[in-house]
Amino acid sequence: MDGAAGLATGRQSVKRASIASYLPCLEWGREYDRGSLINDLLAAVIVTIMLIPQSLAYALLAGLPPEAGLYASIVPILLYAIFGTSRTLAVGPVAVVSLMTATAIGSVVHNTGVDHVTAALTLAGLSGVMLVTMGLFRLGFLANFLSHPVIAGFITASAILIAASQLKHVLGVSADGHNLLELLLSLASQLNAANRETLLLGVTSIAFLFWCRKGLKALLLHLGLSPKLAEALARTGPVMAVLVTTALVWGLQLDSHGVSVVGAVPQALPPLTWPSVSADLLRELWMPALLISVIGFVESISVAQTLAAKRRQRIRSDQELIGLGAANMGAALTGGFPVTGGFSRSVVNFEAGAETPAAGAMTAVMLAIAALIMTPLIHYLPKATLAATIIVAVFSLVDFSILKRSWSYSRADFAAVFITMVVTLVIGVEAGVSAGVIASVALFLYRTSRPHVAEVGLVPGTQHFRNIHRHRVLTDPSLVTIRVDESLYFANARYLEDLIHDRLASSDTTRHLVLMCSAINEIDMSALESLEAINHRLADMNISMHLSEVKGPVMDRLQQSHLLDELTGQVFLSQYEAIQSLTPAVIAAELTEAAA
C-alpha cells in the first residue's frame, strides 16, 4: 500500500512539474509574498506612467487608431504573466515591430481592400499562432539564424526609418514612403506646407525629452531628491510633455490653427475582436507575420536573458515563444496589434524593483482603468508630441559603432551588417529582414565551408599537439596529422578533400595520415562520402588513413557506415597513442630531448 501511495504521489509530482513547465506563473506564484506585492505595485505604477504615451505613440507609428496601443498593452501583458518565464520583461507595442506592422498592413490594405484594424488583428493572430507552434515544437533555435551583428544593423536602420517617418507629424504635413529615400523626398516636397504651431510643439517636445534623459535627473538630484526618486521622476518626462502640450492645444485652441490632435478615443475596455480568416489576406500576411515573429522573439529573448542574468534567474526560450505567442493571440482578440518584449520598458520595470510578472498584470489593470477613465483627457493631445516621443525613444536604438566594431573584427560580419542596413534603408523593412536572414546564413556557410585546418605535431615534454606553424613541435616525415576545427558537412567536405590532396600529392615520404577529430562534433552523409573518397585515394598512394580522438556520438554514426570496415588504418583513442604506434621514433626523440 505504501509503495502504491508513493508511486501515485510521484506521478502527481511529475504531472504538476509538467503543468508548471507550461504555466510558469505556478512557480513564482507559490513564493509570492507581501514584499513582492509592494515592489511589483511600485514598478507597475512607474511602467504604467511610461507606457500610456508610448502605447499611443506606437499605435500612431503602426498606422492605427491610438486606442489600439492601449488595447495591445492590456490583455497581452496578462497572458504573458501567465505563460512567460521572465520575471521582469514588459510586453507590449515596440518601435521596430510597430514599424514592421505599418509596412505589412499598408501593402495589404492596398492589395486586398481590408481595413487597417482588421489587417493588424490578423497579423497579430498569425504571429501568435506561429510563435506558439514554434514553442510547442521547440523551434526557438530558428532565431539563431539571425546573427547579433545583423540584428544590430537592422535595428539601427529601422530606428532611422522610424524617426524619418515621424517627421511628418512634427512638421504637420502629409508624407509617406516605404524607404528612407521615399520618405525624405516626400518630406522635402511638403516643407513649404509645414504648420508653424505644430513644428514649434514638436521641436520643443523633442528638445525637452532629450533633456529629460540626463538633465532632469541631475536637476532633481541637485534639489536634494534621492537618486531612486530622481530616476523615477526623470522617467515621467514623456507624461509631462503630453500634459503640457495637451493643455496648450486645449487652452489656445491650436487645433483650429491646423495642429493635428489624437481626437476622440473610445472610453471603454478592450473590445472582443476576431481576426479575418480570408485566404487572400492570410496569404498576404504570412511572410510579414513570420518576420515579425522572429524579430520580436530575438529582441525579446535578448532583453529577458540580460535582465535574468543580473538576478541569476533562468529563461526558457521555447516557453518564451509560447508566452509571446499567447500575448499576440490576446492582442488579436482584443483590438490590438503585434507585440513583444520592449527594451526600455523592461529596463524600467527591472530598475523599479519588479520581482515577478505580477507587476505586468498590475500594469494591465492600471491601463484598463486609464482606458475607462482617462481617454477623454487625450482628445487634444497633439500628434507632434507622440511623434517626438517615438523619435526620442528610438534614438537609443541607433548604433553606428557596430560598423566600426565589425570592420575591425571581421570583414565578413561587416559585410552582413552593411548589407542589412543598406537594404533596410533603401528598399524597406521586410526586405531588410530577409537580407539579414540571408546574410546570416550565408555568413555561417562561408565560415564553415572553409574551416580552420591545422597540421599538428607533438609539443616536447607533453602529450599535447599544436600547429606546426605556431609552435616548436616534433614531427616525422612519414606521418602527417591534420586537425579539423569544425564539424564536417556538405559545405566543407570537398574543401577537406582538396586540402588533403594538395598536402600529400607532392610528398614521397608520407606513409600515414591521421585525421585528428577532437573538434569534430558531427559528420553528415556528404562528409562521410568524402572521407571514404579520401581513404580510397590515399590507398592508391600507399598512404594509410587513421582517425584519432573521435567523439562518442560521431563514432556511433561511423559504426553504422562502411568507412571503418574499409579504413586502411586504425582508430586511436588519443593522438599520442597514434604517435606511439605509428612513429615510435618521434617518442624516442621526445624522451631524449626531455632527458637532456
Side-chain angles (χ1 to χ4, degrees):
M1 181 66 70
D2 291 342
L7 183 61
T9 302
R11 287 174 176 170
Q12 290 175 356
S13 299
V14 171
K15 185 177 180 180
R16 284 196 298 268
S18 178
I19 294 174
S21 67
Y22 287 101
L23 294 174
C25 60
L26 299 179
E27 298 177 8
W28 57 263
R30 286 193 294 266
E31 306 167 359
Y32 206 69
D33 55 24
R34 183 177 179 181
S36 298
L37 173 63
I38 294 172
N39 290 332
D40 286 346
L41 186 59
L42 176 61
V45 171
I46 295 173
V47 173
T48 301
I49 293 173
M50 177 185 183
L51 189 53
I52 290 175
Q54 267 196 0
S55 61
L56 297 172
Y58 290 144
L60 181 72
L61 173 59
L64 297 167
E67 63 268 19
L70 289 174
Y71 298 159
S73 303
I74 297 176
V75 173
I77 298 178
L78 290 171
L79 290 173
Y80 180 81
I82 296 172
F83 295 102
T85 61
S86 173
R87 301 289 181 98
T88 53
L89 188 70
V91 172
V94 299
V96 174
V97 170
S98 297
L99 175 65
M100 295 177 72
T101 299
T103 302
I105 65 177
S107 60
V108 166
V109 168
H110 177 73
N111 294 336
T112 65
V114 301
D115 61 277
H116 286 74
V117 173
T118 301
L121 295 175
T122 307
L123 186 63
L126 270 176
S127 179
V129 170
M130 289 177 178
L131 287 165
V132 170
T133 302
M134 290 169 66
L136 292 175
F137 286 94
R138 302 185 182 279
L139 300 179
F141 68 90
L142 292 176
N144 297 333
F145 285 106
L146 276 172
S147 68
H148 285 288
V150 166
I151 284 289
F154 171 72
I155 289 178
T156 293
S158 297
I160 295 172
L161 280 177
I162 290 168
S165 71
Q166 296 307 296
L167 290 177
K168 63 182 179 182
H169 297 296
V170 175
L171 295 170
V173 299
S174 176
D176 53 30
H178 293 96
N179 57 58
L180 186 61
L181 182 60
E182 291 178 359
L183 283 169
L184 294 180
L185 290 176
S186 183
L187 286 168
S189 66
Q190 297 290 324
L191 283 178
N192 293 334
N195 182 276
R196 183 178 58 186
E197 289 81 2
T198 301
L199 181 60
L200 182 60
L201 285 172
V203 171
T204 304
S205 296
I206 292 173
F208 172 73
L209 291 173
F210 272 121
W211 174 77
C212 283
R213 291 199 157 199
K214 294 183 179 179
L216 180 57
K217 181 179 177 180
L219 175 62
L220 295 173
L221 289 173
H222 181 71
L223 294 176
L225 274 68
S226 66
K228 189 172 183 178
L229 181 58
E231 179 74 26
L233 291 176
R235 303 281 187 184
T236 64
V239 177
M240 289 187 278
V242 165
L243 293 176
V244 172
T245 55
T246 301
L248 285 173
V249 171
W250 173 73
L252 301 177
Q253 297 184 342
L254 295 180
D255 54 323
S256 62
H257 293 272
V259 174
S260 181
V261 296
V262 168
V265 176
Q267 192 174 356
L269 291 173
L272 183 62
T273 55
W274 188 253
S276 172
V277 292
S278 165
D280 292 337
L281 183 59
L282 295 177
R283 186 166 51 250
E284 290 275 347
L285 286 177
W286 79 266
M287 179 54 74
L290 179 61
L291 296 177
I292 286 174
S293 299
V294 173
I295 291 295
F297 173 65
V298 170
E299 182 178 354
S300 179
I301 199 70
S302 299
V303 177
Q305 289 177 339
T306 299
L307 297 179
K310 295 182 178 181
R311 294 181 181 174
R312 298 188 178 183
Q313 295 169 348
R314 180 169 172 259
I315 300 297
R316 302 200 304 272
S317 58
D318 291 324
Q319 184 60 32
E320 279 297 289
L321 284 166
I322 295 175
L324 291 174
N328 276 280
M329 287 182 176
L333 296 174
T334 55
F337 56 97
V339 298
T340 191
F343 176 76
S344 58
R345 290 195 303 273
S346 298
V347 171
V348 170
N349 196 37
F350 179 88
E351 293 178 349
E355 293 189 13
T356 72
M362 295 174 190
T363 299
V365 172
M366 293 178 190
L367 286 171
I369 295 172
L372 277 173
I373 299 174
M374 297 179 61
T375 49
L377 302 178
I378 62 174
H379 183 282
Y380 291 98
L381 171 59
K383 291 184 177 180
T385 302
L386 295 179
T389 301
I390 294 174
I391 291 171
V392 175
V394 301
F395 184 79
S396 61
L397 301 178
V398 178
D399 179 20
F400 288 115
S401 67
I402 188 64
L403 291 172
K404 181 180 179 181
R405 297 199 308 273
S406 59
W407 175 264
S408 61
Y409 186 77
S410 167
R411 297 295 192 273
D413 276 327
F414 171 81
V417 173
F418 185 75
I419 289 171
T420 303
M421 291 181 67
V422 170
V423 172
T424 302
L425 292 173
V426 174
I427 300 180
V429 175
E430 290 183 7
V433 178
S434 302
V437 173
I438 294 171
S440 296
V441 174
L443 183 61
F444 169 78
L445 291 175
Y446 172 77
R447 284 173 171 165
T448 56
S449 67
R450 302 178 63 84
H452 179 260
V453 178
E455 184 175 342
V456 300
L458 178 64
V459 178
T462 73
Q463 295 185 14
H464 300 295
F465 293 80
R466 293 293 184 268
N467 194 322
I468 63 173
H469 300 297
R470 292 176 178 268
H471 302 271
R472 187 176 66 86
V473 294
L474 299 174
T475 60
D476 188 287
S478 67
L479 173 68
V480 171
T481 298
I482 298 293
R483 188 191 71 219
V484 184
D485 296 332
E486 183 65 67
S487 292
L488 298 178
Y489 73 117
F490 65 90
N492 60 24
R494 187 57 185 267
Y495 174 78
L496 180 64
E497 282 189 59
D498 294 340
L499 185 144
I500 291 176
H501 179 267
D502 294 343
R503 170 63 181 84
L504 300 179
S506 59
S507 175
D508 297 327
T509 58
T510 303
R511 293 292 174 264
H512 303 282
L513 170 77
V514 179
L515 193 61
M516 188 174 175
C517 305
S518 56
I520 297 177
N521 298 317
E522 181 79 23
I523 297 177
D524 73 356
M525 282 291 294
S526 297
L528 177 64
E529 292 175 359
S530 288
L531 291 178
E532 292 173 344
I534 293 170
N535 183 53
H536 292 148
R537 189 176 299 166
L538 293 180
D540 294 338
M541 300 168 63
N542 294 320
I543 298 175
S544 299
M545 175 175 162
H546 310 268
L547 304 177
S548 73
E549 302 190 10
V550 183
K551 294 184 176 180
V554 177
M555 180 60 76
D556 292 341
R557 290 286 184 88
L558 293 180
Q559 287 174 341
Q560 299 174 18
S561 70
H562 298 293
L563 176 65
L564 298 184
D565 296 330
E566 300 173 358
L567 192 67
T568 55
Q570 306 175 55
V571 178
F572 296 99
L573 184 63
S574 69
Q575 182 60 29
Y576 191 76
E577 179 185 322
I579 292 292
Q580 284 180 311
S581 174
L582 301 175
T583 55
V586 172
I587 301 301
E590 189 266 339
L591 292 174
T592 301
E593 183 172 334

